[in-house]
Amino acid sequence: MTPRDTGADSPVAGPVGVRAEGDVDEQELDYIRAKVRAVLDRPGLPPAIGEVRISRATAHHAGQPWTAGGEIRVGRDVVVVHAREASAHELADRLQDRLRAQVERMAHREDSARKAADPPPWRGGPADAQQG
């Protein structure tokens, strides 16, 4: 089966594309796309580009036929996520949780680095309260 591109160029999907392989219908892809977009459309987050690959195993005996893998560049950082679940909705939820956790860590790390780069108030850095 050939992979099909699902919205990497559409204005609704944004620069993070979702590619499907196997027997994946449009409703399932829309749900997964919405979950990924919910994480990456957070205010204050740098622009994100990349791709998430979704596949469904054709073997009927597979316990967790749904798999996802993604590599997304958020600002200067690269976020890599993988998930394997029994249904498309469980996969989308797991993918969203893992992506959100990594994006939160990345944002926290950048905030900490930015605060550490500022000199303390007694050395000319920003002061919390104006004294007058």
Side-chain angles (χ1 to χ4, degrees):
M1 295 186 187
T2 60
R4 65 178 192 251
D5 188 17
T6 58
D9 295 325
S10 76
V12 177
V16 176
V18 177
R19 186 174 58 140
E21 298 176 5
D23 187 21
V24 182
D25 69 10
E26 288 301 317
Q27 289 179 332
E28 294 161 336
L29 280 174
D30 288 341
Y31 186 73
I32 293 168
R33 202 176 294 130
K35 291 288 194 168
V36 170
R37 190 178 313 124
V39 174
L40 298 175
D41 284 349
R42 192 177 100 183
L45 198 63
I49 59 170
E51 180 180 69
V52 176
R53 298 165 307 281
I54 307 296
S55 65
R56 183 177 181 188
T58 56
H60 298 289
H61 64 277
Q64 294 179 322
W66 289 90
T67 58
E71 187 172 304
I72 302 168
R73 180 173 293 277
V74 181
R76 296 180 301 161
D77 296 312
V78 176
V79 176
V80 178
V81 290
H82 298 281
R84 179 178 293 258
E85 289 297 328
S87 72
H89 284 271
E90 291 174 4
L91 179 76
D93 294 341
R94 177 70 52 111
L95 190 63
Q96 181 185 27
D97 290 344
R98 290 183 176 177
L99 186 59
R100 178 180 291 129
Q102 288 196 24
V103 168
E104 296 273 335
R105 273 195 300 270
M106 180 203 64
H108 178 69
R109 190 174 60 241
E110 285 182 4
D111 287 344
S112 296
R114 192 175 306 123
K115 287 179 184 175
D118 290 339
W122 60 88
R123 292 205 175 175
D128 291 335
Q130 290 273 341
Q131 294 181 1

